Amino acid sequence: MNIWLTLCFCVLVVAYLLGSIPTGYLTAKLLKGIDIREFGSGSTGATNVLRTLGKGPGASVLFIDSLKGVVAILIAHELFNFATAQDLLPETINVDIWLSSMIALTAFFAILGHSKSIFLGFSGGKSVATSIGILFAMNWQVALICVGVFGIAIAISRFVSLSSISGALAAPVSMVILNQPLPYIIFGVIGSLYVVWRHKSNIGRLIAGTESKLGQKVDVDVEQTVNPAS
């Protein structure tokens, strides 16, 4: 049992460190030699990279950050495959419950790493891109519903933040509709609320009417500081 719990703990640490890889920060440093946190919204996520560096870098960061979520969930699955092959699973555990619970925990640690990266002094992105990858790895139907809600919201409003919040809130609802395991639903609720909380400054700007819309760009000026209205 001790070996099994140690392996589970190690997977959670790996998921957090994987999520912590600061893709947006590294991209901005490599391409422009700038700290992306000093421009636009101050986030290291794909949206701020898009506004600051353009479509190519923004798309690349979105893909890699999503991939981090996929890989984190695959690692959790491989843990169970390895433990089964090596006969390390305790006889008393319910494998289905443990697997779904471990995947849910791994997912949360991955999005926590993305938004609170240990490599950036516990700063980071809004956890949206990594959450997309996680949802595709957990259940592609849930992911498609969330992406669909995001797409409809962005087409109507042109606000990435509002669309991200809408997509996040669709996750637990679609998990319930599609009869997902209880740990998945709990993750959906906690994860969606966390994403909404990460967008609290955006919500304030939406209410104030100062939130930037999709397509608005940030001028990269080394003298520029973070613009709270971006």
Side-chain angles (χ1 to χ4, degrees), residues 87-182:
D87 199 24
L88 296 176
L89 288 173
E91 295 180 0
T92 55
I93 73 167
N94 183 308
V95 175
D96 290 336
I97 293 175
W98 264 88
L99 178 57
S100 59
S101 299
M102 191 63 195
I103 288 173
L105 281 172
T106 301
F108 183 73
F109 272 78
I111 65 171
L112 185 65
H114 179 72
S115 60
K116 300 290 182 180
S117 172
I118 193 173
F119 304 118
L120 296 179
F122 301 102
S123 64
K126 303 288 176 67
S127 300
V128 175
T130 301
S131 296
I132 292 172
I134 285 169
L135 291 177
F136 270 107
M138 292 175 78
N139 184 292
W140 63 269
Q141 294 166 305
V142 170
L144 285 182
I145 291 173
C146 294
V147 170
V149 170
F150 174 90
I152 293 170
I154 197 71
I156 295 172
S157 71
R158 306 299 291 172
F159 289 118
V160 175
S161 56
L162 179 61
S163 304
S164 298
I165 291 169
S166 301
L169 293 176
V173 176
S174 56
M175 284 180 174
V176 171
I177 292 173
L178 293 174
N179 239 359
Q180 294 302 287
L182 180 60

Side-chain angles (χ1 to χ4, degrees), residues 10-22:
C10 289
V11 167
L12 296 181
V13 172
V14 170
Y16 172 77
L17 293 176
L18 184 64
S20 288
I21 297 173

